[in-house]
Structures are given as structure tokens and as C-alpha cells.
Amino acid sequence: MYVKICGLRTADHAQTAIEAGAHAVGVVMNRTSARRASDDEARAVIEASRGSADTVLVVNDMPAEHAARTARRLGFDVLQLHGRAYGEQDFAAALEVVPRVWRATSLDLDPPLEVGAWGEEVLLLDAPKPGSGERWDLSDLADRAPDGTWMVAGGLSPANVREAVDAVRPWGVDVSSGVETAPGEKSSELIRAFVEAALRA
Ligand SMILES: O=C(O)c1ccccc1NCC(=O)[C@H](O)[C@H](O)COP(=O)(O)O
């Protein structure tokens, strides 16, 4: 099970996630997110993770090409274009700049459910409000869960990740609110508990 911990802003939390066994760490750089990282915070996470985990720049309100240039400038491994702001042409524009782009979306947007449909390496299916900690009805994926490198997110936590994995059998899982004590406040204890539960699932 591939495990991504999202919304990190410190080297300590990145190291905690990686030591626990996480495969990816996400840094959110939306203007409006409670988890918005500065360039220096992003660099600290990247430096702590280099060679040990995929570093993922997550955006939902930055033009795709600018986001891709930001990912390249800061040294991220992956760009995650998240949500309704991005269409197929945005993915093409980003892929001109960086080789690895992930597509994060939700079923209410009626997205293509084939991994790679817009050139992405990984498809992430999330709740309609990303980073909200809200769950969504995974049974909506009955008979149409994607194949291949796709992740589930949205209201996951150490307590429910196993149930989610059993329900939809994803390639990977992604979490943010479920490893926090308050919006934007990551907990090392919860990060460890989530990674351990996900790896056991
Ligand atoms: O985390 C945010 O604030 C955020 C804002 C806008 C777009 C994406 C955002 N996060 C993306 C993630 O990858 C989250 O891990 C994912 O949405 C799951 O969030 P949560 O339900 O809080 O675990």
C-alpha cells in the first residue's frame, strides 16, 4: 500500500512520516489553505525527504504552468493538480514542464476514472472539499473503481483507513486532516498511527 501524508510544512513531520514508512509527502501551496506552505517550508520538507519519499506539490488555485514551474524551481518530484480548476489542457501544459503529474479529483465532477486519461501518473479520488476531513460514500465506486495507480483520500484516519482499503482496494491512500489535532496542526503521533494502520491494511 502506497501511503502519502499531505499538508506537511516541517522537516520533523516529513522525517516522522518517512521513518514510519510513508512513500510520499505532500506540501500544499494554495493561497487559501490552512496548510499553505512558504517556499522555505517547502524546501525544508523536500530536503528532509530527498531520496526517501516522493515529494508532491499540491495546488488547486494556481495556473497549471505556473504550478509546474514552481514545482521545478523548488525541486519537487511530483505536481498534484487538485480539483475543478484543471482540465485536460492544464495537464498537458504542466507535463511540458515537469514529467510527473498527479490528477486529484472527486466523483461529483464526473471525471474520467481511467488512470492516465489526462497524462497523469497517479489518479487520486478525494471528497468534494479537499483537505476538509470529510468522508464520502465509497460505495459510489462500486463496479467502477479504477485499475492501477490510484489513491483514495477524504476523511481518512488511523481508525478508518483499513475499512476504506477493504471497501475499494486502492493502490494507495492519502491523508491530511486525519493526522492533525486542528486544521494545519500535524501530529507526529497521528502520522505514525496512520502510516502503520495503512501499511497493515
Ligand atoms: O489540504 C488542503 O488544504 C487542500 C486544499 C486544496 C486542495 C487540496 C488540499 N489537500 C489535498 C490533499 O491531498 C489531501 O490530503 C486530501 O484532500 C485529503 O484531505 P483530508 O480529507 O483532510 O484527509
Side-chain angles (χ1 to χ4, degrees):
M1 178 65 49
Y2 186 95
V3 183
K4 169 169 167 262
I5 306 294
C6 201
L8 298 182
R9 288 185 292 184
T10 70
D12 275 359
H13 285 142
Q15 276 159 1
T16 298
I18 290 164
E19 282 166 18
H23 304 88
V25 292
V27 174
V28 177
M29 297 186 87
N30 297 331
R31 279 193 307 271
T32 53
S33 175
R35 309 176 178 101
R36 181 184 183 178
S38 65
D39 283 9
D40 283 349
E41 288 170 333
R43 285 193 190 96
V45 171
I46 291 167
E47 188 56 37
S49 312
R50 199 182 300 286
S52 302
D54 287 325
T55 56
V56 184
L57 170 61
V58 178
V59 295
N60 80 341
D61 60 6
M62 195 186 281
E65 190 181 334
H66 179 62
R69 293 195 187 287
T70 301
R72 198 170 66 181
R73 174 173 62 80
L74 292 173
F76 283 97
D77 297 310
V78 176
L79 171 64
Q80 178 176 318
L81 295 178
H82 207 115
R84 67 179 67 246
Y86 304 109
E88 188 168 4
Q89 290 182 343
D90 295 301
F91 283 76
L95 284 162
E96 294 277 320
V97 180
V98 290
R100 299 177 67 190
V101 179
W102 294 2
R103 175 165 60 99
T105 187
S106 52
L107 289 190
D108 60 308
L109 300 178
D110 197 20
L113 293 179
E114 182 191 333
V115 177
W118 291 357
E120 75 276 5
E121 175 187 73
V122 169
L123 171 65
L124 193 160
L125 294 179
D126 196 2
K129 281 195 233 163
S132 64
E134 290 174 11
R135 297 196 72 182
W136 55 287
D137 188 354
L138 297 180
S139 70
D140 288 347
L141 275 180
D143 300 328
R144 56 177 182 147
D147 288 324
T149 51
W150 77 281
M151 305 178 72
V152 70
L156 298 184
S157 71
N160 68 21
V161 63
R162 183 185 192 114
E163 172 199 323
V165 167
D166 285 346
V168 292
R169 306 307 313 171
W171 169 81
V173 292
D174 178 31
V175 67
S176 194
S177 306
V179 293
E180 292 179 343
T181 53
E185 299 299 325
K186 287 289 183 285
S187 154
S188 294
E189 196 178 327
L190 290 172
I191 291 171
R192 275 188 218 100
F194 183 86
V195 176
E196 284 165 16
L199 292 176
R200 274 201 309 269

